[in-house]
Amino acid sequence: MKRLALATLCALTLGAVQAEGPAPSYDLVIRNGRVLDGLGNPWINADVAIANGRIAAVGKIAERGRKEIDARGLYVSPGWIDMMDQSGEVLRTEGRAENKLLQGVTSAIAGEGGTPVAAEEIPAYFAQLERQGISLNFGSYYGTAQARVAVMGDGAGEPTPEQLEKMKSLVATAMRGGAVGVATALIYPPDSFQSTRDLIELSKVAASCGGIYASHMRDESANLLSAISESIEIGEQAGIPIEIFHLKGAYQPGWHQLMPQAVAQVDAARQRGVDIAADMYLYEAGGTGLEITVPSWVWEGGFKQGLKKLESRKVRERLKREVAGGSLPGWSNLVHASGGWDRVVLANAYNPKYERFHNRSLAAIGKELGKDPADVAWDIVIEAQPHRAMALFFMMDEKDIETALRTPWVSLGSDASASEKLNATDALGLPHPRSYGNFPRLIAEYVRKRGVLTLPDAIRKLTSWPATRMRQFDRGAIRTGLWADITVFDYDRIQDRATYQNPTATPEGIQYVLVNGQVVVSEGRHTGAKPGVALKNSGCAKDPADART
């Protein structure tokens, strides 16, 4: 009893002494970490102090923080940036983005398909995200196809001069509303119906606001080099930086050939002053809607009419010949690029009838059902409506991934959405391991295991380079005065656990994640905090509608 009383007295005395001491100088201090500044420099032993959401001091810090994290034996880096996110819609209803934060991601740039709202609604959209709360920082491109569909629908055809002017006006509105640039997904209709000339004209408007032209190019397989040439032409003619989404050599017959040529092509463009770069994910399989296996001419009258055409036996016979024959003008044949239907895997049919076939190839499904794999694929596309049936296309090779990753101008983008619930498929409905593993995989697989990159350079690709690329000069580095987006990880334990068979397994080794100075992940668990902000373009020095040919 006396011992208990003495312990209580000591505890009270300690509390009194602490209360009488100087007030904490900082909101939070991360102590004893191996600090990687994000700029490619080796780590140093240092403390990092944070106040009012920003990095207040780096070095040996004697003053206390209201909260303190002991990072002894851990690495402290700037927060990681997802350069090709797909969370624009889901963040409106679920802002925690747990599968992103648990990977160390603190900022995400979305918009391959544009914003989930019309151009004039973008300011209200960003305001809604901040009002409701999001756990990471978030920016978005506006889709050139959004403008096109708003003006002339989802069918094929060239816009009239008047229609093109209306599209330019919508791009101007989007840029004034905070879009970081314009984006295209030229492999998919109706994006694929846009001409290079139209894209140049729309990009000129975005360029007048300091925006970027980002593109899922027309072809990432057999015609990869010509697709890069088109992107370069758009950049040069419009005077706009170019970001190639998910750079890949997605063509089995061209493995180990196309990617080195693509890297050389981009290097040559950069040497002559073209501001072009790329991002990528670190997997051999791409993932997208199964409707991509249908040649684009089917969709020229719009998607609904295309579905009706797809029901025709006569149309299907023609389509099968075209799929077997390779790519067509305006259509990239991902079946051929993958090496056949046995390398196209059903991921999500949105139909109980086909659930037992998930994670099996279309060739195997066709054999079991006694049907042509093409008929199986297209039946699934039709029967999934109004949802989008999803598939994995095993088109890439690890050697090409390493080649691209070694280039200094490549960053990382997941091409994945936040999930509504942890350990659930992302909001796109695509069960792909990139949704839960892309960022820790860079360190676990390509730094620690294979030695493709050094740790400082890997961190640079995740932090200062994408921040610089997106003109977010107040983020991406451990420097006094910058926003305190910080990822703390255990190098020995960091591991992506998501696989094609178990794509929603969360990674290990990400200990703490801070967004704007607030702890969002603590000891590997999401805290529920939502301190994220909208990353908006603010470069409109003049009215972008004034950008003319």
Side-chain angles (χ1 to χ4, degrees):
M1 195 70 176
K2 289 182 178 179
R3 286 182 179 179
L4 180 59
L6 181 59
T8 302
L9 178 60
C10 289
L12 291 172
T13 303
L14 178 62
V17 170
Q18 288 178 335
E20 291 172 2
S25 301
Y26 302 108
D27 296 324
L28 187 148
V29 177
I30 303 171
R31 296 199 182 275
N32 309 312
R34 297 178 177 181
V35 176
L36 289 156
D37 64 6
L39 303 173
N41 294 311
W43 63 268
I44 61 170
N45 277 123
D47 305 329
V48 179
I50 297 161
N52 301 316
R54 293 182 181 266
I55 297 170
V58 181
K60 185 63 177 177
I61 297 171
E63 298 87 352
R64 292 189 299 114
R66 291 185 178 86
K67 297 180 181 178
E68 300 215 351
I69 293 173
D70 185 359
R72 191 180 307 273
L74 304 177
Y75 285 85
V76 179
S77 86
W80 302 348
I81 299 173
D82 187 343
M83 285 287 279
M84 199 210 171
D85 172 73
Q86 298 278 10
S87 304
E89 181 61 48
V90 68
L91 291 179
R92 302 174 77 182
T93 55
E94 175 49 72
R96 288 177 298 176
E98 286 191 74
N99 59 312
K100 299 282 183 169
L101 271 300
L102 294 182
Q103 290 184 69
V105 172
T106 59
S107 295
I109 308 297
E112 177 196 22
T115 54
V117 298
E120 63 273 14
E121 298 171 2
I122 290 175
Y125 165 68
F126 283 134
Q128 176 196 5
L129 296 184
E130 292 188 333
R131 183 175 62 253
Q132 294 177 179
I134 51 178
S135 293
L136 43 59
N137 306 309
F138 179 79
S140 181
Y141 296 96
Y142 177 71
T144 59
Q146 280 184 271
R148 178 187 172 92
V149 171
V151 173
M152 56 185 295
D154 66 350
E158 289 291 322
T160 66
E162 293 76 18
Q163 288 175 324
L164 185 57
E165 285 302 313
K166 289 180 180 178
M167 293 179 201
K168 291 172 71 173
S169 178
L170 289 174
V171 171
T173 298
M175 295 304 298
R176 285 194 298 267
V180 296
V182 289
T184 60
L186 298 176
I187 199 170
Y188 307 110
D191 290 62
S192 60
F193 302 142
Q194 299 171 101
S195 70
T196 305
R197 179 188 69 88
D198 294 345
L199 295 174
I200 290 170
E201 291 304 307
L202 297 178
S203 295
K204 286 179 180 178
V205 179
S208 71
C209 277
I212 293 175
Y213 170 80
S215 183
H216 179 150
M217 299 181 298
R218 290 191 198 276
D219 201 310
E220 299 168 325
S221 51
N223 298 307
L224 172 64
L225 302 182
S226 63
I228 294 175
S229 293
E230 180 189 34
S231 296
I232 292 171
E233 180 184 355
I234 292 168
E236 289 184 304
Q237 294 296 316
I240 193 169
I242 311 127
E243 178 75 10
I244 297 172
F245 281 147
H246 45 58
L247 177 66
K248 60 174 76 77
Y251 187 57
Q252 190 183 54
W255 284 353
H256 312 159
Q257 302 171 42
L258 277 175
M259 183 57 74
Q261 291 175 314
V263 168
Q265 186 179 12
V266 173
D267 279 339
R270 289 185 62 84
Q271 286 173 9
R272 68 173 187 267
V274 180
D275 188 354
I276 180 171
D279 54 71
M280 67 184 300
Y281 53 81
L282 304 174
Y283 298 89
E284 295 173 325
T288 191
L290 195 52
E291 82 287 344
I292 196 62
T293 62
V294 181
S296 294
W297 65 263
V298 172
W299 314 110
E300 289 178 353
F303 188 69
K304 289 183 179 179
Q305 287 189 27
L307 288 175
K308 292 180 181 178
K309 290 179 183 177
L310 200 55
E311 294 175 348
S312 166
R313 183 181 300 273
K314 184 177 180 180
V315 169
R316 286 195 181 192
E317 290 308 311
R318 174 183 168 183
L319 295 178
K320 291 173 188 177
R321 292 193 298 270
E322 292 172 343
V323 170
S327 295
L328 298 172
W331 175 63
S332 182
N333 186 343
L334 298 194
V335 179
H336 179 58
S338 300
W341 287 107
D342 61 333
R343 292 178 59 83
V344 179
V345 173
L346 181 63
N348 190 348
Y350 281 104
N351 190 325
K353 176 180 174 181
Y354 297 104
E355 280 183 3
R356 65 190 177 98
F357 296 120
H358 286 176
N359 293 318
R360 296 182 62 186
S361 74
L362 270 296
I365 300 169
K367 184 176 181 180
E368 181 167 332
L369 295 178
K371 299 172 68 173
D372 189 304
D375 285 319
V376 175
W378 301 335
D379 287 346
I380 290 172
V381 168
I382 293 170
E383 294 174 35
Q385 299 304 311
H387 299 289
R388 188 186 187 200
M390 292 290 188
L392 302 177
F393 297 80
F394 285 81
M395 303 178 288
M396 284 79 81
D397 180 75
E398 278 291 346
K399 184 176 179 181
D400 288 333
I401 292 173
E402 291 183 6
T403 296
L405 197 54
R406 287 189 178 98
T407 62
W409 38 263
V410 166
S411 56
L412 260 64
S414 67
D415 195 9
S417 171
S419 57
E420 291 188 90
K421 295 181 180 179
L422 191 61
N423 300 122
T425 300
D426 78 0
L428 296 179
L430 177 60
H432 192 299
R434 65 195 185 195
S435 302
Y436 281 77
N438 193 54
F439 298 89
R441 180 173 176 79
L442 177 65
I443 296 171
E445 185 70 19
Y446 296 93
V447 175
R448 190 179 64 209
K449 182 177 179 180
R450 302 191 195 185
V452 175
L453 299 174
T454 66
L455 181 59
D457 194 37
I459 295 300
R460 183 190 67 82
K461 285 178 174 292
L462 293 172
T463 60
S464 67
W465 170 235
T468 299
R469 184 78 184 131
M470 298 308 302
R471 282 57 175 168
Q472 295 291 325
F473 297 112
D474 55 356
R475 302 182 190 274
I478 303 290
R479 283 286 185 270
T480 302
L482 301 193
W483 287 107
D485 297 339
I486 294 176
T487 298
V488 181
F489 64 96
D490 185 330
Y491 177 78
D492 295 322
R493 288 185 54 238
I494 193 169
Q495 187 64 57
D496 56 304
R497 296 173 56 244
T499 64
Y500 295 111
Q501 292 72 36
N502 185 18
T504 62
T506 54
E508 296 177 346
I510 307 291
Q511 296 299 102
Y512 299 92
V513 178
L514 280 66
V515 175
N516 298 316
Q518 294 191 39
V519 179
V520 179
V521 172
S522 177
E523 297 182 347
R525 294 179 179 273
H526 198 293
T527 65
K530 297 178 180 179
V533 298
L535 302 176
K536 294 182 285 188
N537 163 66
S538 59
C540 293
K542 62 177 182 178
D543 190 334
D546 292 337
R548 294 291 185 264
T549 304

